[in-house]
mmCIF file of all heavy atoms in Angstrom:
data_model
loop_
_atom_site.group_PDB
_atom_site.id
_atom_site.type_symbol
_atom_site.label_atom_id
_atom_site.label_comp_id
_atom_site.label_asym_id
_atom_site.label_seq_id
_atom_site.Cartn_x
_atom_site.Cartn_y
_atom_site.Cartn_z
ATOM 1 N N PRO A 1 61.934 34.190 -37.213
ATOM 2 C CA PRO A 1 60.622 33.600 -36.930
ATOM 3 C C PRO A 1 60.666 32.082 -37.096
ATOM 4 O O PRO A 1 61.172 31.562 -38.091
ATOM 5 C CB PRO A 1 59.716 34.242 -37.995
ATOM 6 C CG PRO A 1 60.377 35.543 -38.315
ATOM 7 C CD PRO A 1 61.847 35.271 -38.237
ATOM 8 N N GLY A 2 60.175 31.387 -36.099
ATOM 9 C CA GLY A 2 60.146 29.940 -36.125
ATOM 10 C C GLY A 2 61.324 29.280 -35.431
ATOM 11 O O GLY A 2 61.254 28.089 -35.074
ATOM 12 N N GLU A 3 62.414 30.011 -35.216
ATOM 13 C CA GLU A 3 63.563 29.450 -34.518
ATOM 14 C C GLU A 3 63.270 29.343 -33.027
ATOM 15 O O GLU A 3 62.399 30.029 -32.485
ATOM 16 C CB GLU A 3 64.807 30.293 -34.748
ATOM 17 C CG GLU A 3 65.367 30.196 -36.156
ATOM 18 C CD GLU A 3 66.665 30.982 -36.316
ATOM 19 O OE1 GLU A 3 66.928 31.881 -35.499
ATOM 20 O OE2 GLU A 3 67.408 30.667 -37.273
ATOM 21 N N SER A 4 64.049 28.521 -32.331
ATOM 22 C CA SER A 4 63.923 28.359 -30.897
ATOM 23 C C SER A 4 65.048 29.091 -30.179
ATOM 24 O O SER A 4 66.102 29.358 -30.750
ATOM 25 C CB SER A 4 63.949 26.878 -30.520
ATOM 26 O OG SER A 4 62.846 26.195 -31.062
ATOM 27 N N PHE A 5 64.813 29.413 -28.934
ATOM 28 C CA PHE A 5 65.854 29.981 -28.084
ATOM 29 C C PHE A 5 65.770 29.324 -26.711
ATOM 30 O O PHE A 5 64.724 28.808 -26.306
ATOM 31 C CB PHE A 5 65.702 31.498 -27.963
ATOM 32 C CG PHE A 5 64.416 31.960 -27.299
ATOM 33 C CD1 PHE A 5 64.345 32.153 -25.922
ATOM 34 C CD2 PHE A 5 63.276 32.174 -28.058
ATOM 35 C CE1 PHE A 5 63.181 32.557 -25.311
ATOM 36 C CE2 PHE A 5 62.089 32.596 -27.459
ATOM 37 C CZ PHE A 5 62.044 32.785 -26.081
ATOM 38 N N GLY A 6 66.883 29.357 -26.005
ATOM 39 C CA GLY A 6 66.904 28.822 -24.660
ATOM 40 C C GLY A 6 66.553 29.902 -23.657
ATOM 41 O O GLY A 6 67.024 31.032 -23.745
ATOM 42 N N LEU A 7 65.717 29.554 -22.672
ATOM 43 C CA LEU A 7 65.328 30.464 -21.606
ATOM 44 C C LEU A 7 65.913 29.973 -20.298
ATOM 45 O O LEU A 7 65.744 28.791 -19.940
ATOM 46 C CB LEU A 7 63.807 30.556 -21.533
ATOM 47 C CG LEU A 7 63.214 31.518 -20.495
ATOM 48 C CD1 LEU A 7 63.607 32.951 -20.803
ATOM 49 C CD2 LEU A 7 61.691 31.389 -20.453
ATOM 50 N N TYR A 8 66.583 30.871 -19.593
ATOM 51 C CA TYR A 8 67.258 30.541 -18.333
ATOM 52 C C TYR A 8 66.617 31.371 -17.235
ATOM 53 O O TYR A 8 66.619 32.600 -17.296
ATOM 54 C CB TYR A 8 68.741 30.842 -18.441
ATOM 55 C CG TYR A 8 69.465 30.036 -19.496
ATOM 56 C CD1 TYR A 8 69.257 30.284 -20.854
ATOM 57 C CD2 TYR A 8 70.359 29.024 -19.142
ATOM 58 C CE1 TYR A 8 69.919 29.537 -21.833
ATOM 59 C CE2 TYR A 8 71.030 28.272 -20.111
ATOM 60 C CZ TYR A 8 70.794 28.547 -21.450
ATOM 61 O OH TYR A 8 71.443 27.793 -22.420
ATOM 62 N N VAL A 9 66.078 30.688 -16.187
ATOM 63 C CA VAL A 9 65.307 31.380 -15.162
ATOM 64 C C VAL A 9 65.742 30.907 -13.781
ATOM 65 O O VAL A 9 65.992 29.710 -13.567
ATOM 66 C CB VAL A 9 63.793 31.114 -15.335
ATOM 67 C CG1 VAL A 9 62.995 31.792 -14.230
ATOM 68 C CG2 VAL A 9 63.318 31.574 -16.708
ATOM 69 N N THR A 10 65.829 31.856 -12.865
ATOM 70 C CA THR A 10 65.990 31.535 -11.450
ATOM 71 C C THR A 10 64.760 32.021 -10.702
ATOM 72 O O THR A 10 64.250 33.103 -10.990
ATOM 73 C CB THR A 10 67.256 32.170 -10.857
ATOM 74 O OG1 THR A 10 67.425 31.714 -9.502
ATOM 75 C CG2 THR A 10 67.207 33.685 -10.866
ATOM 76 N N SER A 11 64.283 31.231 -9.731
ATOM 77 C CA SER A 11 63.102 31.615 -8.969
ATOM 78 C C SER A 11 63.177 31.034 -7.555
ATOM 79 O O SER A 11 63.435 29.852 -7.392
ATOM 80 C CB SER A 11 61.826 31.112 -9.660
ATOM 81 O OG SER A 11 60.691 31.362 -8.835
ATOM 82 N N THR A 12 62.937 31.894 -6.597
ATOM 83 C CA THR A 12 62.741 31.443 -5.217
ATOM 84 C C THR A 12 61.283 31.592 -4.807
ATOM 85 O O THR A 12 60.937 31.450 -3.633
ATOM 86 C CB THR A 12 63.632 32.265 -4.250
ATOM 87 O OG1 THR A 12 63.295 33.646 -4.359
ATOM 88 C CG2 THR A 12 65.102 32.056 -4.577
ATOM 89 N N LEU A 13 60.434 31.902 -5.787
ATOM 90 C CA LEU A 13 59.017 32.140 -5.529
ATOM 91 C C LEU A 13 58.138 31.015 -6.041
ATOM 92 O O LEU A 13 56.908 31.136 -6.044
ATOM 93 C CB LEU A 13 58.580 33.450 -6.193
ATOM 94 C CG LEU A 13 59.302 34.725 -5.738
ATOM 95 C CD1 LEU A 13 58.809 35.925 -6.530
ATOM 96 C CD2 LEU A 13 59.091 34.959 -4.248
ATOM 97 N N GLY A 14 58.735 29.916 -6.478
ATOM 98 C CA GLY A 14 57.950 28.808 -6.998
ATOM 99 C C GLY A 14 58.004 28.735 -8.503
ATOM 100 O O GLY A 14 58.855 29.356 -9.160
ATOM 101 N N ASP A 15 57.082 27.972 -9.070
ATOM 102 C CA ASP A 15 57.065 27.757 -10.510
ATOM 103 C C ASP A 15 56.750 29.051 -11.246
ATOM 104 O O ASP A 15 56.132 29.975 -10.701
ATOM 105 C CB ASP A 15 56.035 26.687 -10.866
ATOM 106 C CG ASP A 15 56.466 25.298 -10.366
ATOM 107 O OD1 ASP A 15 57.630 25.171 -9.935
ATOM 108 O OD2 ASP A 15 55.633 24.380 -10.382
ATOM 109 N N VAL A 16 57.155 29.095 -12.524
ATOM 110 C CA VAL A 16 57.171 30.349 -13.267
ATOM 111 C C VAL A 16 56.287 30.246 -14.521
ATOM 112 O O VAL A 16 56.509 29.385 -15.387
ATOM 113 C CB VAL A 16 58.607 30.718 -13.688
ATOM 114 C CG1 VAL A 16 58.623 32.062 -14.422
ATOM 115 C CG2 VAL A 16 59.531 30.768 -12.465
ATOM 116 N N ALA A 17 55.317 31.127 -14.638
ATOM 117 C CA ALA A 17 54.528 31.255 -15.854
ATOM 118 C C ALA A 17 55.251 32.225 -16.788
ATOM 119 O O ALA A 17 55.786 33.236 -16.350
ATOM 120 C CB ALA A 17 53.130 31.755 -15.538
ATOM 121 N N VAL A 18 55.244 31.896 -18.080
ATOM 122 C CA VAL A 18 55.912 32.719 -19.079
ATOM 123 C C VAL A 18 54.909 33.123 -20.142
ATOM 124 O O VAL A 18 54.179 32.275 -20.683
ATOM 125 C CB VAL A 18 57.100 31.979 -19.718
ATOM 126 C CG1 VAL A 18 57.859 32.911 -20.666
ATOM 127 C CG2 VAL A 18 58.038 31.426 -18.660
ATOM 128 N N ALA A 19 54.882 34.404 -20.475
ATOM 129 C CA ALA A 19 54.027 34.909 -21.551
ATOM 130 C C ALA A 19 54.859 35.809 -22.450
ATOM 131 O O ALA A 19 55.663 36.612 -21.958
ATOM 132 C CB ALA A 19 52.833 35.665 -21.003
ATOM 133 N N ALA A 20 54.704 35.676 -23.770
ATOM 134 C CA ALA A 20 55.449 36.471 -24.736
ATOM 135 C C ALA A 20 54.519 37.506 -25.341
ATOM 136 O O ALA A 20 53.489 37.163 -25.943
ATOM 137 C CB ALA A 20 56.043 35.585 -25.825
ATOM 138 N N TYR A 21 54.887 38.785 -25.206
ATOM 139 C CA TYR A 21 54.096 39.889 -25.717
ATOM 140 C C TYR A 21 54.885 40.613 -26.803
ATOM 141 O O TYR A 21 56.037 40.995 -26.610
ATOM 142 C CB TYR A 21 53.763 40.872 -24.605
ATOM 143 C CG TYR A 21 52.882 40.289 -23.530
ATOM 144 C CD1 TYR A 21 53.430 39.718 -22.385
ATOM 145 C CD2 TYR A 21 51.496 40.312 -23.644
ATOM 146 C CE1 TYR A 21 52.645 39.170 -21.390
ATOM 147 C CE2 TYR A 21 50.675 39.783 -22.647
ATOM 148 C CZ TYR A 21 51.257 39.199 -21.534
ATOM 149 O OH TYR A 21 50.463 38.664 -20.549
ATOM 150 N N ARG A 22 54.249 40.804 -27.955
ATOM 151 C CA ARG A 22 54.864 41.572 -29.028
ATOM 152 C C ARG A 22 54.477 43.051 -28.854
ATOM 153 O O ARG A 22 53.297 43.390 -28.741
ATOM 154 C CB ARG A 22 54.386 41.079 -30.399
ATOM 155 C CG ARG A 22 55.047 41.816 -31.550
ATOM 156 C CD ARG A 22 54.510 41.386 -32.916
ATOM 157 N NE ARG A 22 55.210 42.126 -33.964
ATOM 158 C CZ ARG A 22 54.901 43.369 -34.344
ATOM 159 N NH1 ARG A 22 53.888 43.999 -33.768
ATOM 160 N NH2 ARG A 22 55.595 43.969 -35.293
ATOM 161 N N VAL A 23 55.472 43.921 -28.856
ATOM 162 C CA VAL A 23 55.243 45.355 -28.663
ATOM 163 C C VAL A 23 54.731 45.981 -29.946
ATOM 164 O O VAL A 23 55.267 45.716 -31.038
ATOM 165 C CB VAL A 23 56.538 46.044 -28.203
ATOM 166 C CG1 VAL A 23 56.342 47.548 -28.116
ATOM 167 C CG2 VAL A 23 56.984 45.492 -26.854
ATOM 168 N N GLY A 24 53.712 46.793 -29.834
ATOM 169 C CA GLY A 24 53.149 47.458 -31.008
ATOM 170 C C GLY A 24 52.176 48.542 -30.597
ATOM 171 O O GLY A 24 52.209 49.045 -29.473
ATOM 172 N N SER A 25 51.269 48.880 -31.497
ATOM 173 C CA SER A 25 50.259 49.890 -31.231
ATOM 174 C C SER A 25 49.009 49.248 -30.640
ATOM 175 O O SER A 25 48.607 49.569 -29.534
ATOM 176 C CB SER A 25 49.914 50.645 -32.519
ATOM 177 O OG SER A 25 48.881 51.563 -32.293
ATOM 178 N N TYR A 26 48.386 48.359 -31.393
ATOM 179 C CA TYR A 26 47.266 47.562 -30.924
ATOM 180 C C TYR A 26 46.173 48.402 -30.255
ATOM 181 O O TYR A 26 45.753 48.142 -29.125
ATOM 182 C CB TYR A 26 47.745 46.455 -29.981
ATOM 183 C CG TYR A 26 48.741 45.524 -30.642
ATOM 184 C CD1 TYR A 26 50.085 45.558 -30.272
ATOM 185 C CD2 TYR A 26 48.347 44.636 -31.641
ATOM 186 C CE1 TYR A 26 51.012 44.726 -30.888
ATOM 187 C CE2 TYR A 26 49.269 43.807 -32.255
ATOM 188 C CZ TYR A 26 50.602 43.855 -31.871
ATOM 189 O OH TYR A 26 51.515 43.023 -32.497
ATOM 190 N N GLY A 27 45.761 49.447 -30.975
ATOM 191 C CA GLY A 27 44.665 50.263 -30.477
ATOM 192 C C GLY A 27 44.971 50.980 -29.179
ATOM 193 O O GLY A 27 44.052 51.295 -28.417
ATOM 194 N N GLY A 28 46.234 51.247 -28.946
ATOM 195 C CA GLY A 28 46.628 51.948 -27.723
ATOM 196 C C GLY A 28 46.981 51.032 -26.563
ATOM 197 O O GLY A 28 47.431 51.512 -25.518
ATOM 198 N N ARG A 29 46.804 49.722 -26.718
ATOM 199 C CA ARG A 29 47.131 48.783 -25.640
ATOM 200 C C ARG A 29 48.641 48.610 -25.486
ATOM 201 O O ARG A 29 49.137 48.316 -24.410
ATOM 202 C CB ARG A 29 46.459 47.438 -25.887
ATOM 203 C CG ARG A 29 44.942 47.461 -25.747
ATOM 204 C CD ARG A 29 44.528 47.768 -24.305
ATOM 205 N NE ARG A 29 43.108 47.692 -24.082
ATOM 206 C CZ ARG A 29 42.432 46.607 -23.739
ATOM 207 N NH1 ARG A 29 43.065 45.447 -23.629
ATOM 208 N NH2 ARG A 29 41.128 46.660 -23.531
ATOM 209 N N GLY A 30 49.388 48.717 -26.583
ATOM 210 C CA GLY A 30 50.846 48.703 -26.503
ATOM 211 C C GLY A 30 51.513 47.380 -26.714
ATOM 212 O O GLY A 30 52.731 47.329 -26.944
ATOM 213 N N ALA A 31 50.781 46.262 -26.661
ATOM 214 C CA ALA A 31 51.382 44.945 -26.879
ATOM 215 C C ALA A 31 50.285 43.906 -27.074
ATOM 216 O O ALA A 31 49.123 44.114 -26.681
ATOM 217 C CB ALA A 31 52.291 44.543 -25.721
ATOM 218 N N ARG A 32 50.679 42.781 -27.681
ATOM 219 C CA ARG A 32 49.741 41.684 -27.916
ATOM 220 C C ARG A 32 50.331 40.383 -27.388
ATOM 221 O O ARG A 32 51.526 40.113 -27.564
ATOM 222 C CB ARG A 32 49.470 41.548 -29.430
ATOM 223 C CG ARG A 32 48.591 40.366 -29.805
ATOM 224 C CD ARG A 32 48.249 40.367 -31.276
ATOM 225 N NE ARG A 32 49.311 39.901 -32.139
ATOM 226 C CZ ARG A 32 49.515 38.611 -32.478
ATOM 227 N NH1 ARG A 32 48.732 37.661 -31.980
ATOM 228 N NH2 ARG A 32 50.487 38.272 -33.310
ATOM 229 N N LEU A 33 49.503 39.576 -26.735
ATOM 230 C CA LEU A 33 49.922 38.256 -26.276
ATOM 231 C C LEU A 33 50.055 37.330 -27.488
ATOM 232 O O LEU A 33 49.079 37.098 -28.203
ATOM 233 C CB LEU A 33 48.918 37.686 -25.293
ATOM 234 C CG LEU A 33 49.196 36.254 -24.806
ATOM 235 C CD1 LEU A 33 50.493 36.198 -23.998
ATOM 236 C CD2 LEU A 33 48.023 35.733 -23.976
ATOM 237 N N VAL A 34 51.252 36.808 -27.706
ATOM 238 C CA VAL A 34 51.521 35.928 -28.841
ATOM 239 C C VAL A 34 51.660 34.481 -28.392
ATOM 240 O O VAL A 34 51.317 33.556 -29.127
ATOM 241 C CB VAL A 34 52.792 36.403 -29.586
ATOM 242 C CG1 VAL A 34 53.196 35.415 -30.672
ATOM 243 C CG2 VAL A 34 52.561 37.775 -30.204
ATOM 244 N N TRP A 35 52.164 34.276 -27.198
ATOM 245 C CA TRP A 35 52.418 32.890 -26.719
ATOM 246 C C TRP A 35 52.468 32.901 -25.199
ATOM 247 O O TRP A 35 52.851 33.903 -24.587
ATOM 248 C CB TRP A 35 53.743 32.389 -27.268
ATOM 249 C CG TRP A 35 54.187 31.054 -26.737
ATOM 250 C CD1 TRP A 35 53.869 29.830 -27.219
ATOM 251 C CD2 TRP A 35 55.047 30.834 -25.604
ATOM 252 N NE1 TRP A 35 54.454 28.850 -26.453
ATOM 253 C CE2 TRP A 35 55.186 29.447 -25.467
ATOM 254 C CE3 TRP A 35 55.695 31.687 -24.699
ATOM 255 C CZ2 TRP A 35 55.972 28.875 -24.448
ATOM 256 C CZ3 TRP A 35 56.462 31.125 -23.693
ATOM 257 C CH2 TRP A 35 56.606 29.733 -23.573
ATOM 258 N N GLN A 36 52.060 31.794 -24.604
ATOM 259 C CA GLN A 36 52.275 31.600 -23.182
ATOM 260 C C GLN A 36 52.565 30.129 -22.907
ATOM 261 O O GLN A 36 52.120 29.246 -23.651
ATOM 262 C CB GLN A 36 51.092 32.089 -22.357
ATOM 263 C CG GLN A 36 49.756 31.491 -22.706
ATOM 264 C CD GLN A 36 48.626 32.197 -21.962
ATOM 265 O OE1 GLN A 36 48.849 32.864 -20.944
ATOM 266 N NE2 GLN A 36 47.411 32.051 -22.456
ATOM 267 N N SER A 37 53.313 29.860 -21.879
ATOM 268 C CA SER A 37 53.683 28.477 -21.563
ATOM 269 C C SER A 37 52.419 27.703 -21.206
ATOM 270 O O SER A 37 51.575 28.187 -20.449
ATOM 271 C CB SER A 37 54.672 28.446 -20.404
ATOM 272 O OG SER A 37 54.179 29.167 -19.293
ATOM 273 N N PRO A 38 52.267 26.495 -21.763
ATOM 274 C CA PRO A 38 51.072 25.706 -21.479
ATOM 275 C C PRO A 38 50.873 25.459 -19.992
ATOM 276 O O PRO A 38 49.748 25.368 -19.502
ATOM 277 C CB PRO A 38 51.327 24.394 -22.233
ATOM 278 C CG PRO A 38 52.324 24.738 -23.285
ATOM 279 C CD PRO A 38 53.176 25.819 -22.693
ATOM 280 N N GLU A 39 51.968 25.334 -19.268
ATOM 281 C CA GLU A 39 51.923 25.185 -17.815
ATOM 282 C C GLU A 39 53.159 25.864 -17.241
ATOM 283 O O GLU A 39 54.150 26.062 -17.948
ATOM 284 C CB GLU A 39 51.885 23.714 -17.419
ATOM 285 C CG GLU A 39 53.041 22.896 -17.973
ATOM 286 C CD GLU A 39 52.868 21.420 -17.686
ATOM 287 O OE1 GLU A 39 51.724 20.948 -17.589
ATOM 288 O OE2 GLU A 39 53.912 20.752 -17.549
ATOM 289 N N PRO A 40 53.125 26.236 -15.991
ATOM 290 C CA PRO A 40 54.281 26.925 -15.411
ATOM 291 C C PRO A 40 55.540 26.075 -15.493
ATOM 292 O O PRO A 40 55.496 24.837 -15.399
ATOM 293 C CB PRO A 40 53.853 27.157 -13.960
ATOM 294 C CG PRO A 40 52.356 27.179 -13.993
ATOM 295 C CD PRO A 40 51.983 26.187 -15.062
ATOM 296 N N LEU A 41 56.670 26.760 -15.666
ATOM 297 C CA LEU A 41 57.960 26.084 -15.687
ATOM 298 C C LEU A 41 58.433 25.838 -14.262
ATOM 299 O O LEU A 41 58.133 26.604 -13.341
ATOM 300 C CB LEU A 41 58.987 26.934 -16.422
ATOM 301 C CG LEU A 41 58.622 27.378 -17.845
ATOM 302 C CD1 LEU A 41 59.737 28.241 -18.431
ATOM 303 C CD2 LEU A 41 58.322 26.175 -18.726
ATOM 304 N N LYS A 42 59.174 24.750 -14.068
ATOM 305 C CA LYS A 42 59.681 24.417 -12.740
ATOM 306 C C LYS A 42 60.577 25.538 -12.230
ATOM 307 O O LYS A 42 61.580 25.917 -12.871
ATOM 308 C CB LYS A 42 60.469 23.118 -12.805
ATOM 309 C CG LYS A 42 61.054 22.674 -11.472
ATOM 310 C CD LYS A 42 59.968 22.330 -10.471
ATOM 311 C CE LYS A 42 60.561 21.806 -9.173
ATOM 312 N NZ LYS A 42 59.514 21.546 -8.151
ATOM 313 N N GLY A 43 60.210 26.100 -11.079
ATOM 314 C CA GLY A 43 61.009 27.173 -10.501
ATOM 315 C C GLY A 43 62.157 26.631 -9.673
ATOM 316 O O GLY A 43 61.939 25.833 -8.751
ATOM 317 N N THR A 44 63.367 27.069 -9.988
ATOM 318 C CA THR A 44 64.570 26.592 -9.308
ATOM 319 C C THR A 44 65.480 27.768 -8.993
ATOM 320 O O THR A 44 65.627 28.666 -9.826
ATOM 321 C CB THR A 44 65.343 25.589 -10.196
ATOM 322 O OG1 THR A 44 64.473 24.503 -10.545
ATOM 323 C CG2 THR A 44 66.565 25.050 -9.483
#
């Protein structure tokens, strides 16, 4: 927790939005949104 990791993405569909979901129970929903990129990443 708190460490960083590198994310490597290829896209031919344009810029890429990233959202991180933690898997769990959450009242039957199955996951919780913990983080999302403030703006889409450059798609390359």
